Amino acid sequence: MASDIQQAWQQIEQVETSTLETLFAADADRVASLSGRIDWGEGLDAGGILFDWSKTHLSAQLLTAFEALAKARDFPAMREALLTGAKINVTEGRAAEHTAPRGTGADASVEEAHALLARMKMLVEAIHQGALGEVKHLIHVGIGGSALGPALAVDALTRDLSLVDVHVVSNIDGVALEEAFAACDPRTTMVAVASKTFTTIETMTNAESVLKWLRDGGVDDPSGRVVALTANPEKAVEWGVDETRVLPFMETVGGRYSLWSSIGFPVAIAAGWDEFEAMLAGAAAVDAHFASAEGRENLCLRAAFADQYYSRVRGCQTRAVFAYDERLGLFPDYLQQLEMESNGKRVTSAGDPVDGPTSPITWGGVGTDAQHAVFQLLHQGTHLVPVDFIASIAPGDELDPAHHRILLTNCFAQGAALMAGGNMAADGKDPARAFPGDRPSATMLCDDLDAATLGALIAFHEHRTFANAVLLGINPFDQFGVELGKKMANDIEGGEAEFDASTRALLEASGLS
């Protein structure tokens, strides 16, 4: 197997580098062969996303070589293990079952996930129907995957109408909580405490402060306003949450993959259960594609081929994501955790040192704002940065159509300009106005940005992340890298450890020593 992997990488690295202009000139069908759609629904519920990877340097020869790498890494078997609930998270000895709430996984796990969602639906509908009194606001307290996914989905789906005003608070900095307090009335506010273990120090500290705020605001039973979202329901009950308001999720659902579980409670509260279900349905459509499409026809795997080409062969250390839709403003933040916490590893699943770069640094922003901030570097800088563009054909506003037309033309023009290059000088000779071109980009063009589309976009990137991990031979489902800093912070609190001279000086200067 090791020799097959090495041979596949040698084949990939030996493919002659061609410019994008050359690749397009040599293949009249390039756009069709490197584009594909994932569709879902029927009638008014129909939707889909076009994935165009033609402006990347992928060629037929490279795709064949990457398919050999996927075969050497036993991608089909790894995919099967993921989607059937095998213990694919080898370092922690458990499965990674985030697809189970979407209907894909071991039968028992899918049944359990759906039962837990049914429990959540009952509570959501009871709140909407007023069974728990008037609820106008929800303060959702979590961090990492317990916050990034809900914040993204609430922001994307409730700009037109929010059934309950949701504030997602993750930072331990009290300024974040005070901002939420200022926007809420304690008499009509509920609290969601989202923590897989129900021990995360930032989350539990924030939760205690919210209870105090409720108590100070005249709420006699603050704990009666709390909903717990956790894989440790016993700990939530011990903390004081009534078991009827504990919404468990499975231990085998990782934090950054948990939006589909009870961690999605604030999404359902804000947008409504139908919207939450539509998000699951869009993700399920991508699951079906990922499970059945083989080789280069698998759009998630094809994206991973390009990722690995730019990282391993072209030496790209970053990948940029620009959403030409204001509603996806938090999507780059979400992807940062999904991709870098999953694949920012230095050892293989077997514990051996990796033989090359793993996850690139994910960053990005919102177009057209980003064009006036960072695109200078993308077009004329010395770094080669693969770019992903995301846009929606249907507008998200009801203003003059000129707004959306300008938005889309800018999105498409940036990809064209990155590829084509040129010189803006009248005589075409000014080096300061020269654009080298041959800079890669991919485009995800959505029919519309609704709940199903958001679910599909997130699921696509989950499977893309997994495919990259398989090609690298690493485990994308642990995150031990977040632990050391937390331990040292606890050591500082407890005064239990000696630190370097610089850290001691900072502690003394801030009055913490």
Side-chain angles (χ1 to χ4, degrees):
M1 179 178 174
S3 61
D4 292 339
I5 294 168
Q6 186 177 21
Q7 184 178 1
W9 274 118
Q10 289 174 348
Q11 290 175 349
I12 291 166
E13 292 165 355
Q14 289 169 2
V15 173
E16 182 179 354
T17 301
S18 299
T19 66
L20 293 170
E21 182 182 11
T22 300
L23 291 170
F24 271 91
D27 183 3
D29 296 324
R30 180 171 177 81
V31 174
S33 62
L34 282 170
S35 297
R37 283 184 59 92
I38 298 178
D39 295 289
W40 55 84
E42 296 179 354
L44 295 177
D45 295 325
I49 304 173
L50 171 68
F51 298 87
D52 180 1
W53 254 248
S54 64
K55 290 192 186 74
T56 70
H57 290 84
L58 290 178
S59 62
Q61 192 175 359
L62 272 175
L63 288 168
T64 299
F66 271 112
E67 286 174 335
L69 175 63
K71 181 179 179 181
R73 287 290 190 187
D74 209 2
F75 176 80
M78 295 294 287
R79 176 181 58 185
E80 179 75 7
L82 171 70
L83 299 179
T84 56
K87 292 183 178 180
I88 199 165
N89 179 353
V90 293
T91 53
E92 297 178 304
R94 59 180 178 231
E97 297 190 289
H98 47 280
T99 63
R102 292 147 26 185
T104 296
D107 290 343
S109 296
V110 171
E111 183 178 352
E112 179 183 359
H114 285 176
L116 293 173
L117 288 179
R119 176 188 175 108
M120 181 170 109
K121 180 181 180 182
M122 291 177 62
L123 181 58
V124 168
E125 292 184 340
I127 292 170
H128 285 159
Q129 292 165 6
L132 278 69
E134 185 179 22
V135 178
K136 292 184 177 180
H137 312 282
L138 175 73
I139 297 178
H140 175 88
V141 179
I143 199 165
S146 297
L148 288 165
L152 163 65
V154 169
D155 186 50
L157 301 178
T158 63
R159 290 183 176 234
D160 293 334
L161 174 66
S162 181
L163 301 178
V164 173
D165 176 37
V166 171
H167 299 265
V168 178
V169 178
S170 58
N171 199 340
I172 191 63
D173 187 338
V175 173
L177 261 185
E178 286 184 339
E179 184 179 0
F181 292 163
C184 298
D185 180 348
R187 295 168 299 179
T188 56
T189 299
M190 288 196 69
V191 185
V193 181
S195 173
K196 185 170 185 177
T197 61
F198 231 71
T199 60
T200 308
I201 186 168
E202 299 98 326
T203 297
M204 303 318 298
T205 301
N206 277 336
E208 292 285 359
S209 293
V210 177
L211 292 187
K212 181 180 184 302
W213 173 75
L214 289 171
R215 194 176 299 111
D216 292 346
V219 177
D220 294 333
D221 179 21
S223 294
R225 298 289 187 88
V226 178
V227 176
L229 319 173
T230 183
N232 190 357
E234 295 81 8
K235 193 73 174 178
V237 172
E238 179 185 321
W239 190 75
V241 185
D242 188 278
E243 63 180 357
T244 61
R245 285 176 280 102
V246 176
L247 298 178
F249 61 92
M250 299 188 302
E251 176 67 25
T252 50
V253 175
R256 58 188 172 276
Y257 299 91
S258 63
L259 180 61
W260 324 101
S261 69
S262 63
I263 294 297
F265 171 77
V267 184
I269 282 290
W273 188 260
D274 288 347
E275 291 291 276
F276 182 71
E277 271 197 335
M279 195 172 68
L280 291 171
V286 176
D287 293 341
H289 168 83
F290 181 69
S292 61
E294 300 298 340
R296 70 189 71 186
E297 300 305 317
N298 189 309
L299 298 176
C300 310
L301 182 58
R302 183 190 296 175
F305 290 165
D307 294 341
Q308 290 304 306
Y309 172 74
Y310 288 114
S311 178
R312 294 275 301 228
V313 180
R314 302 294 290 270
C316 299
Q317 296 183 330
T318 79
R319 182 174 66 84
V321 181
F322 297 102
Y324 277 69
D325 195 302
E326 189 71 19
R327 295 166 292 178
L328 291 176
L330 296 178
F331 198 56
D333 291 353
Y334 179 84
L335 291 183
Q336 283 181 336
Q337 187 201 22
L338 173 64
E339 297 180 359
M340 293 195 287
E341 192 169 86
S342 294
N343 290 342
K345 308 292 170 59
R346 62 189 301 273
V347 298
T348 67
S349 296
D352 301 318
V354 297
D355 60 358
T358 53
S359 174
I361 297 164
T362 306
W363 62 284
V366 177
T368 60
D369 290 358
Q371 292 177 199
H372 297 269
V374 300
F375 274 55
Q376 166 64 42
L377 180 147
L378 296 176
H379 284 287
Q380 289 188 310
T382 56
H383 300 277
L384 181 65
V385 181
V387 175
D388 284 358
F389 294 105
I390 307 174
S392 169
I393 297 172
D397 63 83
E398 297 181 357
L399 300 179
D400 188 322
H403 284 270
H404 198 62
R405 185 173 63 251
I406 294 170
L407 183 70
L408 288 182
T409 55
N410 271 272
C411 176
F412 304 150
Q414 289 299 324
L418 285 167
M419 182 178 94
N423 195 304
M424 296 291 289
D427 61 2
K429 295 180 180 180
D430 184 354
R433 290 175 170 80
F435 296 73
D438 198 39
R439 303 203 164 187
S441 68
T443 300
M444 286 162 265
L445 184 60
C446 309
D447 292 350
D448 195 0
L449 184 57
D450 54 14
T453 304
L454 180 64
L457 279 172
I458 294 172
F460 172 84
H461 285 87
E462 286 178 348
H463 292 314
R464 175 184 188 171
T465 298
F466 174 75
N468 271 295
V470 173
L471 296 177
L472 290 165
I474 61 177
N475 177 12
F477 299 118
D478 63 19
Q479 56 280 326
F480 299 116
V482 306
E483 298 299 330
L484 181 59
K486 291 197 295 185
K487 177 184 180 301
M488 286 190 167
N490 290 334
D491 289 345
I492 290 173
E493 284 287 315
E496 298 173 357
E498 288 293 324
F499 291 93
D500 60 88
S502 171
T503 302
R504 291 198 305 270
L506 291 169
L507 290 169
E508 183 175 348
S510 59
L512 294 176
S513 61

